[in-house]
Amino acid sequence: MNEDLECSHYMVNYDMADTFVPLRLDSSKKLLSHIKKTFGTLAFCRRWLERPDGGSYSVNGSSGKQERYLGALKNLCDVGIVAAYPPLCDIRGSYTAQYEHTILLRPTCKEVLSRGDDY
């Protein structure tokens, strides 16, 4: 599989979540604050940042929309605070899905086949 196409999904690097990294751009500081407040270390996509609620109505109300944030997001990725997750493609132009578990649907129950001792 290859990473291909435009990247739209991101996540705060868990190891860097509580580490202080000096940021020179005020826009990067503002965006990082918004991301930590709204998503924590959960993955998010750019289109959520562009919604009127900035990704969470319960956290931001209707005033969380991020504007002109692409430079700040690139800066956060460059310094390693935010990790970019580009889409995976098997054959150029086709998409690949990734799941956490393998399930078997039986007539009377659902069985998780990939559940191990760590889950």
Side-chain angles (χ1 to χ4, degrees):
M1 286 189 231
N2 301 319
E3 295 178 350
D4 196 9
L5 305 174
E6 184 179 352
C7 183
S8 63
H9 290 76
Y10 300 87
M11 186 168 60
V12 172
N13 185 345
Y14 182 76
D15 297 328
M16 298 287 286
D18 295 324
T19 305
F20 176 76
V21 176
L23 295 171
R24 295 176 188 247
L25 300 174
D26 288 336
S27 59
S28 296
K29 293 175 189 176
K30 179 183 169 208
L31 181 62
L32 180 60
S33 173
H34 175 81
I35 290 169
K36 283 186 172 183
K37 177 179 74 169
T38 307
F39 307 109
T41 56
L42 297 175
F44 62 94
C45 62
R46 287 193 339 223
R47 73 174 179 270
W48 293 347
L49 296 173
E50 297 167 0
R51 291 183 353 191
D53 62 6
S56 174
Y57 185 80
S58 63
V59 173
N60 303 312
S62 60
S63 61
K65 182 176 181 175
Q66 300 299 300
E67 296 180 3
R68 300 178 55 165
Y69 64 89
L70 289 177
L73 184 59
K74 181 180 180 330
N75 179 245
L76 293 173
C77 290
D78 289 346
V79 296
I81 296 174
V82 173
Y85 292 93
L88 298 175
C89 295
D90 189 17
I91 299 172
R92 187 158 186 84
S94 69
Y95 293 96
T96 301
Q98 182 177 352
Y99 297 93
E100 187 164 338
H101 289 294
T102 302
I103 61 171
L104 176 62
L105 300 176
R106 297 181 184 263
T108 58
C109 68
K110 299 172 230 54
E111 185 178 349
V112 179
L113 300 176
S114 59
R115 184 174 292 159
D117 297 334
D118 62 341
Y119 184 78

